[in-house]
């Protein structure tokens, strides 16, 4: 945090940050000031010293200042770690190094400085004065001597620099002597050139430092950008911010280290170079001294015009001559000892780059949370799976895995079902092509550039069942109720069924559900209805996934009572039509052995039961018979004896038509007894009215609305219509028709 | 047309009354019974005419048949006239029980001395309905007819001779004389009232009339006691009627009721079936 604070101070970060980090800001400030104070003090001290020394020229301080990075730069890197603390002292240290270096050579340097300057400046005295006033000059005397000599024999010093030979020489020698025709420049200019070279080196160094500064500020920019993002999305990207901080700090540390290393390396190199150059300068000075001395000697000798003396002193001078000769023979080495080039210090930023790249790397997402199935979101072949992620996760895509859940009935030795996998960017997916009424196990993983999350919990989704199939042949109704039967349409059991009733032609919307009956456990439902309406009835199978599509509807009319023949009760000789409304008794005799009887089939009477809705009240239906058809039509208990004739027992009531040689005979049979009733018009269409309420069973000639007969019967339980053919013929039932008025008063 | 109330008794929520009036058709003082159901106090009701059998007056039916309960339930006015003119002082009118007084046979007599007064057919089919419609809350469009024995014969011929007059053709009869031309009672009466020309008899013979019937669908209900002595005596001859109706496809339900005789006990036993049979049409 404190590191950040420092940055924020340095970069004058956003106000809120400043507030947040106010406390530490102060610390940072304190630290930075402390950090600053060291080099500042050093500088001041030196300045004092320098002013004491009265060095007017600011070259060195200026250079030093240029070398020294701006305080802000340091401030930025004055991070609060040990390393960075080391870094700060380093600045002063480098300064100190420099000052030490300088101070150790100060005498000479200043001296030489003056030497160079003396060339240009007319007043040498003040400089010399300054030099003399240097208290620390331990070689003062010696110098003084030399200075005296120098000052005295100014003109005799090498005044030019041969660029060809890289050696100081005299301008005279340019005209004659070894440096004839060589390019020569004045010594001061040569010195300047060398200095320029040095400066170039220094500026190169500075450029590199600048580069690093730029790089650092670029990093800062990145950081700020990220930080701003973090601010705006602080809540969501808390983790990311933290992550970035950590990464960034790593980068900063790495950079600091690099800077430190690079700077110290450069400083070391500079130190070495300077040392070498100074050494050369000193040598140069020494050579100059010797040259001067020799020149003086030579002049002395030369001045002695007395040849005797000259010759006398030949021995003494001989030495001098030899020296001069030797010296002149010596080729002073003026090659610069220090290379102008700094070592190629290309900093390897590849690791930093890598680190920077890695800043963008997000943590792998956490395991998504898969939602439980939403009701009514599934179809028979698809489910809509939803999940969610943790808010601060970044996810590139999800992978939804699923496999069917085997029910317990599946043999264990079967292979585990294959897992399917789908890739999706959204947090939901409608998975298609599934089996109806089946359970599927779903789990989801999230993936981003970093990696894959752990799998979510497994959630079981269920496709809704296939729509049931209404068995319209087994549906029945009456004016105030309907019994609907259906097949599940699914091999596996479903939870329940929902039956939906639509009143057709109702005042409201035609499509509106008039009534829904839910949670029907079995494949049939008896429901109350209003008379004389038309209903469209559909059924849905329901499991935990929701309801299936609606079955193909069946139209129920509550105009009359509607039923079909129960084929399973039919005598083997009877053929029941496809629509289960007509029964045939063929002419050809079927051998008894070919007849297949069951417990439920009529065995003697060629009869069949109708499937009447188990609702009390009034039921009316009609029966079409041929005039010559010998029939029995009536009602019977469902368990009426299968081996007796209808009407011949106490469990059935029927109207019987018998053709006698003389006439049509009609009987109204129950328990084997019939009243003696003559009917003048043989009915072709018989109306049957079953009235539980008044316990009556009435027969009508429906064609002429003629009441034929009424049984007063005490029904112990519910009855079914019954029909029989005593001779080959046909009976067709007409159900779902309104009872004619003639039946009302019966 | 003035009516004189002879009696009025509350019965089954309504009133059983007897009136007396001077009949223009019969030219004598006539009595008739009328049952007014409770419904008649507030609304017009259909009228069911009951024709009684030999020897009866208006009293037999109202006192023995027990029709009031069903009439009250179905809201029917039941009019029960006398069976012949009375007190006409015709010679021989009271000589026998099966001719003359109490045996009008619901014909318009053509022979002297009967033809002036014995116009029961016109009385039943015209004068009486006019009278009833004028004096009682009767629905003139809804009338029906039934009877017992000779009255059964009367009911059948009235219906068969007046297609559409009796609503929806609902007719019923208890042990009717179905084919009078073929039985002793009929031959005696028809010979007396109509003369010897049997072709005129045919106009009053139900079985014959069935053969020539053309009109709205009839619905005829006939109950017959199996132990009726007149059935076995060949006075009633229902089989002839049934055969004729079967031939002409006129719907008849003929119920041969075992054990019953010709009496009002028999009538009483099935009167509600018959009233219901009529009510079904009259109240439709």
């Amino acid at each position: 945090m404190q590191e950040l604070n420092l940055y924020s101070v340095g970069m004058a970060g956003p106000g809120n940050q400043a507030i947040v980090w106010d406390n530490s800001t102060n610390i940072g400030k304190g630290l930075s000031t402390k950090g600053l104070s060291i080099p500042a003090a050093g500088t001041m001290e030196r300045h004092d010293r320098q002013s004491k020394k009265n060095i007017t020229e600011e070259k060195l301080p200026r250079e030093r200042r240029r070398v020294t990075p701006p305080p802000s730069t340091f401030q930025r890197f004055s991070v609060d770690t040990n390393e960075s603390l080391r870094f700060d002292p380093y600045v002063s240290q480098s300064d100190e190094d420099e000052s030490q270096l300088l101070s150790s050579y100060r005498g000479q340097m200043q001296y030489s400085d003056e030497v160079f300057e003396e060339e240009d400046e007319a007043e040498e005295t003040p400089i010399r004065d300054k030099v003399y006033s240097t208290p620390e000059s331990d070689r003062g005397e010696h110098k003084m001597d030399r200075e005296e000599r120098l000052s005295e024999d100014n003109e005799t010093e090498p005044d030019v620099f041969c660029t060809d030979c890289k050696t100081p020489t005299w301008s005279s020698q340019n005209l004659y002597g070894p440096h004839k025709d060589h390019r020569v420049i004045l010594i001061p200019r040569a010195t300047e050139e060398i200095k320029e070279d040095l400066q170039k080196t220094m500026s190169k160094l500075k450029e590199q430092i600048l580069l690093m500064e730029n790089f650092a500020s670029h990093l800062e920019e990145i950081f700020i950008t990220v930080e701003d993002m973090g601010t705006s999305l602080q809540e969501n990207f808390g983790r990311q911010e933290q992550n970035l901080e950590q990464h960034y700090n790593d980068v900063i540390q790495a950079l600091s280290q690099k800077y430190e290393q690079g700077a110290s390396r450069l400083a070391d190199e500079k130190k070495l170079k300077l040392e070498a150059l100074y050494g050369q300068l000193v040598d140069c000075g020494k050579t100059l001294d010797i040259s001067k001395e020799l020149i003086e000697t030579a002049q002395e000798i030369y001045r002695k015009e007395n040849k005797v003396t000259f010759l006398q002193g030949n021995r003494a001078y001989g030495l001098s001559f030899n020296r001069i000769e030797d010296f002149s023979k010596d080729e002073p080495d003026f090659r610069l000892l220090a290379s102008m080039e700094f070592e190629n210090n290309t900093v390897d930023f590849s690791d930093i780059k890598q680190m920077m790249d890695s800043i963008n790397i997000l943590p792998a997402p956490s395991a998504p949370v898969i939602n439980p199935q939403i009701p009514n979101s599934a179809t028979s072949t698809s489910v809509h799976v939803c999940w969610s992620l943790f808010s601060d996760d970044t996810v590139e895509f999800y992978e939804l895995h699923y496999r069917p859940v085997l029910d317990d009935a599946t043999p264990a030795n079967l292979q585990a079902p294959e897992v399917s996998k789908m890739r999706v960017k959204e947090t939901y997916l409608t998975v298609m092509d599934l089996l109806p009424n089946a359970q599927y196990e779903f789990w989801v993983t999230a993936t981003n550039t970093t990696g894959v999350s752990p799998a979510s919990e497994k959630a079981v989704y269920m496709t809704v069942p296939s729509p049931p199939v209404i068995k319209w042949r087994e549906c029945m109704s009456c004016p105030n109720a309907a019994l609907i039967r259906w097949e599940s349409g699914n091999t596996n059991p479903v939870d329940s069924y929902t039956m939906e009733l639509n009143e057709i032609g109702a005042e409201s919307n035609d499509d509106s559900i008039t009534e829904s009956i839910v949670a029907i456990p079995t494949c049939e439902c008896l429901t109350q209805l209003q008379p004389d309406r038309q209903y469209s009835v559909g059924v849905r199978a329901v499991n935990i996934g929701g309801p299936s599509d609606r079955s193909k509807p069946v139209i129920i009319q509550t105009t009359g009572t509607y039923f079909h023949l129960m084929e399973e009760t039919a005598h083997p000789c009877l053929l029941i039509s496809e629509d289960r409304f007509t029964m045939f008794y063929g002419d050809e005799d079927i051998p008894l052995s070919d007849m297949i009887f069951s417990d439920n089939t009529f065995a003697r009477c060629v009869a069949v039961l109708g499937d009447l809705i188990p609702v009390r009240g009034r039921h009316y239906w009609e029966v079409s018979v041929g005039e010559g058809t010998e029939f029995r039509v009536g009602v019977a208990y469902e368990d009426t004896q299968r081996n007796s004739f209808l009407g011949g027992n106490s469990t059935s009531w029927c109207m019987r038509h018998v053709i006698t040689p003389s006439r049509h005979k009609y009987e109204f049979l129950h328990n084997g007894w019939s009243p003696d009733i003559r009917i003048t018009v043989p009915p072709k269409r018989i109306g049957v009215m079953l009235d539980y309420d008044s316990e009556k069973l009435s027969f009508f000639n429906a064609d002429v609305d003629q009441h034929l007969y009424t049984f007063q019967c005490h029904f112990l339980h519910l009855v079914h219509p019954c029909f029989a053919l005593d001779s080959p013929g046909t009976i067709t039932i007409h159900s779902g028709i309104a009872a004619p008025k003639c039946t009302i008063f019966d | 047309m003035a009516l004189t109330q002879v009696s009025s008794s509350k019965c089954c929520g309504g009133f059983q009354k007897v009136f007396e009036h001077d009949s223009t058709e019969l030219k004598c003082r006539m009595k008739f019974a009328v049952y007014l159901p409770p419904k008649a106090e507030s609304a017009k009701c259909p009228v069911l005419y009951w024709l009684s059998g030999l020897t009866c007056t208006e009293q037999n039916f109202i006192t023995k048949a027990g029709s009031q309960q069903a009439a009250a339930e179905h809201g029917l006015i039941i009019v029960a006239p006398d069976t012949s003119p009375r007190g006409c002082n015709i010679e021989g009118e009271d000589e026998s029980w099966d001719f003359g007084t109490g045996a009008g046979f619901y014909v318009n007599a053509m022979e002297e001395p009967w033809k002036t007064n014995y116009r029961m057919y016109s009385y039943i089919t015209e004068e009486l309905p006019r009278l009833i419609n004028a004096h009682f809350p009767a629905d003139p469009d809804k009338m029906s007819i039934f009877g017992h024995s000779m009255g059964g014969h009367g009911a059948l011929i009235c219906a068969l001779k007046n297609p559409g007059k009796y609503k929806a053709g609902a007719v019923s009869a208890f042990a009717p004389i179905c084919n009078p031309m073929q039985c002793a009672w009929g031959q005696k009466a028809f010979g007396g009232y109509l003369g010897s020309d049997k072709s005129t008899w045919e106009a009053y013979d139900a079985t014959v009339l069935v053969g020539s019937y053309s009109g709205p669908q009839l619905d005829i209900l006939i109950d017959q006691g199996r132990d009726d002595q007149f059935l076995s005596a060949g006075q009633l001859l229902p089989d002839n009627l049934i055969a004729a109706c079967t031939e002409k496809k006129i719907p008849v339900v003929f119920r041969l009721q075992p054990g019953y005789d010709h009496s009002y006990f028999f009538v009483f036993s099935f009167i509600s079936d018959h009233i219901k049979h009529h009510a079904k049409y009259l109240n439709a």
Side-chain angles (χ1 to χ4, degrees), chain A residues 676 678 680 705 707 742 745, chain B residues 239 250 252 254 256 276 280:
Chain A
D676 189 350
R678 306 272 181 92
T680 55
D705 290 347
H707 174 249
C742 67
F745 290 97
Chain B
D239 289 342
I250 289 173
V252 175
F254 176 85
L256 193 60
K276 199 186 290 174
K280 186 163 70 183

Side-chain angles (χ1 to χ4, degrees), chain A residues 57-341:
Chain A
E57 284 304 311
E58 293 184 354
K59 276 174 190 167
L60 274 171
R62 200 188 300 144
E63 278 166 9
R64 231 177 276 138
R65 225 175 284 144
R66 276 181 212 148
V67 170
T68 312
S72 66
T73 312
F74 285 105
Q75 193 182 355
R76 274 178 221 159
F77 292 93
S78 300
V79 282
D80 199 15
T81 62
N82 287 339
E83 283 175 88
S84 31
L85 276 173
R86 246 183 277 133
F87 190 73
D88 255 353
Y90 162 72
V91 176
S92 49
Q93 210 180 335
S94 69
D95 268 10
E96 270 161 23
D97 286 348
E98 217 170 319
S99 19
Q100 273 165 15
L101 175 76
L102 285 170
S103 55
S104 57
Y105 291 98
R106 185 152 285 152
Q108 281 87 349
M109 190 173 175
Q110 281 167 348
Y111 181 76
S112 57
D113 232 0
E114 280 159 55
V115 167
F116 292 129
E117 267 156 53
E118 263 168 6
E119 302 297 324
D120 286 336
E121 284 165 21
E123 339 115 337
E124 335 159 13
T125 331
I127 301 165
R128 231 183 280 152
D129 283 348
K130 282 173 222 162
V131 174
Y132 295 149
S133 67
T134 309
E136 57 191 323
S137 175
D138 45 347
R139 292 173 293 176
E141 263 192 302
H142 174 68
K143 265 192 219 162
M144 260 168 67
D145 288 345
R146 262 189 279 164
E147 288 295 321
E148 269 173 1
R149 269 174 281 166
L150 271 171
S151 63
E152 278 164 23
D153 305 311
N154 205 14
E155 303 98 328
T156 55
E157 278 184 72
D159 53 350
V160 292
F161 185 77
C162 175
T163 49
D164 293 20
C165 315
K166 301 273 183 203
T167 178
T169 182
W170 294 267
S171 50
S172 50
Q173 284 181 359
N174 190 225
L175 304 169
Y176 48 88
H179 300 299
K180 193 174 177 182
D181 296 334
H182 283 192
R183 186 181 167 265
V184 289
I185 46 168
L186 288 169
I187 291 259
R189 260 192 77 187
T191 320
E192 282 292 308
E193 274 180 8
I194 293 167
K195 280 185 174 176
E196 269 173 35
D197 283 343
L198 257 171
Q199 271 181 347
K200 273 182 197 163
T201 313
M202 296 292 262
S203 68
K204 264 189 186 168
L205 188 65
K206 278 184 274 181
E207 271 170 29
Q208 281 199 344
I209 287 163
L210 219 79
L211 254 162
M212 287 179 79
E213 265 180 24
N214 284 344
F215 185 66
S217 71
H218 176 63
L219 282 183
E220 278 163 7
E221 272 172 28
I222 291 171
F223 183 69
I224 285 161
T225 315
V226 173
E227 217 172 35
D228 283 350
M229 269 165 56
T231 313
S232 58
L233 304 166
Q234 225 160 358
E235 286 175 19
N236 294 343
F237 291 96
R239 267 176 59 157
Q240 209 167 329
E241 190 181 282
Q242 219 178 331
N243 190 271
L244 280 177
E245 273 171 32
Q246 204 184 326
H247 275 278
Y248 187 61
N249 289 334
D250 290 348
V251 171
I252 294 302
Q253 279 181 15
L255 275 176
S256 299
Q257 266 179 327
K258 277 202 187 296
Y259 182 85
E260 204 176 310
Q261 284 165 6
S264 75
R265 194 165 57 238
L266 281 172
D268 287 351
E269 204 177 332
K270 190 175 94 182
K271 183 179 156 187
L272 286 171
K273 283 186 196 297
L274 283 174
E275 270 175 16
L277 284 170
Y278 269 112
Q280 208 172 1
L281 268 176
V282 168
D283 288 348
C284 207
K286 276 179 187 167
T287 318
L288 274 174
D289 284 349
I290 293 160
S291 300
K292 277 178 187 172
E293 207 182 330
L294 288 172
I295 288 164
E296 272 174 38
T297 316
Q299 278 176 338
E300 231 175 279
I301 297 162
Y302 185 72
R303 265 196 300 264
K304 289 197 174 148
E305 293 180 0
N306 188 339
K307 285 179 183 171
V308 179
T309 320
F310 181 73
L311 292 168
Q312 271 177 347
N314 199 18
R315 199 190 283 173
Y317 289 127
L319 285 166
S320 298
F321 276 124
N322 289 340
R323 268 183 70 200
I324 290 165
E325 271 170 17
D326 289 348
F327 186 74
S328 61
K329 272 177 202 162
D330 280 346
E331 291 286 330
D333 184 10
F334 279 100
R335 278 170 298 150
L336 278 173
L337 294 173
S339 158
M340 290 302 120
E341 299 296 329

